[in-house]
Amino acid sequence: MSREAATTDVMRLSRDTFALPAATLARRLLGCRLVRTLPDGSRMAGLIVETEAYVGVRDRASHAFGGRRTPRNESMYGEPGTCYVYFTYGMHHCVNVVCSRRDDPQAVLLRALEPVEGVEVIRARRGGKPPGSCCNGPGKLCEAMAIDRSLDGIDLAAGETLWIEDREGGEPPVSTAARVGIGDKGVWTRRRLRWFVRGHPHVSVARD
DNA sequence: ATGACGATTTACT
DNA sequence: GTAAATCGTCATA
């Protein structure tokens, strides 16, 4: 392999990157590309522009708070790079990247993407909405990319039908904010564990 | 068996 | 801004 090819090859994120702590990985994922392929051959991708970190058993807002371990959140306890998909509000899915190490349930919630590949397929699945309204929220991006509980527990590092590719340029300009949709969880409601690309039009909630 | 609760989205006032 | 939609999950009994 030539030096040129090596530097231009898209790099799939691998186990050692997923082994970062959630608060570090959440920022590291901004600008990276989430890729999804379907049995019918279609391929979709979007740049990650907003994330949230759920930092472990002491995080009151986390599904794994206090070490809670049930059939629903079992994949949070898996290898770094495991995909955690849950169903909520009776109608929406949300997708997370499990990180840190096995049995340390930390994860990064993917909250918004900028669609860059398969945009027409994405729009069709979102009822024909404009691209800017297709992936600007955790439930929306799952609908757009056909992500549901059937993908819970898969290995994103293996990259069969869903994986993440590293960004090619440097880190985009980053803003932080409190996480969205957290009820009263004391200090954990206010901590700035949300990261997004500053000023990006596809972010779900721009407020800091 | 029951009930409360969502890491949300959409439509409507 | 407020409210409805809609149901799997889990703690409690």
Side-chain angles (χ1 to χ4, degrees):
Chain A
M1 179 191 301
S2 73
R3 174 182 292 261
E4 289 74 16
T7 53
T8 55
D9 267 353
V10 280
M11 292 287 291
R12 293 190 184 193
L13 294 186
S14 58
R15 196 80 60 206
D16 53 312
T17 300
F18 294 129
L20 290 166
T24 306
L25 181 64
R27 179 170 186 151
R28 177 73 179 76
L29 288 179
L30 293 180
C32 294
R33 173 182 294 230
L34 181 71
V35 186
R36 170 85 166 117
T37 57
L38 297 180
D40 70 4
S42 55
R43 176 183 163 118
M44 298 159 283
L47 302 180
I48 297 169
V49 298
E50 181 184 354
T51 59
E52 280 177 2
Y54 290 82
V55 300
V57 297
R58 67 216 172 96
D59 182 350
R60 287 187 59 203
S62 171
H63 292 165
F65 172 65
R68 188 157 60 92
R69 185 169 185 166
T70 67
R72 170 167 93 142
N73 72 354
E74 174 61 29
S75 52
M76 291 189 81
Y77 291 80
E79 286 297 312
T82 298
C83 182
Y84 170 44
V85 181
Y86 65 89
F87 182 67
T88 190
Y89 289 103
M91 58 194 99
H92 301 297
H93 293 275
C94 295
V95 61
N96 296 253
V97 181
V98 174
C99 58
S100 186
R101 57 191 141 74
R102 175 176 283 284
D103 291 326
D104 178 23
Q106 300 195 32
V108 175
L109 171 68
L110 304 183
R111 286 196 57 89
L113 309 174
E114 174 191 342
V116 292
E117 224 180 304
V119 177
E120 288 313 310
V121 181
I122 286 172
R123 289 191 61 200
R125 195 173 289 98
R126 285 281 299 144
K129 294 196 169 59
S133 305
C134 285
C135 301
N136 58 337
K140 297 180 190 181
L141 79 85
C142 283
E143 181 174 46
M145 306 282 278
I147 295 169
D148 62 25
R149 281 284 281 176
S150 70
L151 296 182
D152 180 59
I154 68 162
D155 183 9
L156 296 172
E160 295 287 319
T161 61
L162 184 68
W163 65 91
I164 299 174
E165 295 172 357
D166 205 352
R167 63 170 104 87
E168 294 177 27
E171 183 180 276
V174 176
S175 290
T176 64
R179 292 174 293 187
V180 176
I182 308 298
D184 181 11
K185 305 292 184 183
V187 32
W188 294 99
T189 303
R190 299 183 292 276
R191 282 190 60 179
R192 298 171 81 86
L193 290 169
R194 182 161 70 102
W195 282 262
F196 58 97
V197 178
R198 190 190 314 147
H200 198 286
H202 294 254
V203 165
S204 69
V205 192
R207 60 182 159 74
D208 280 326

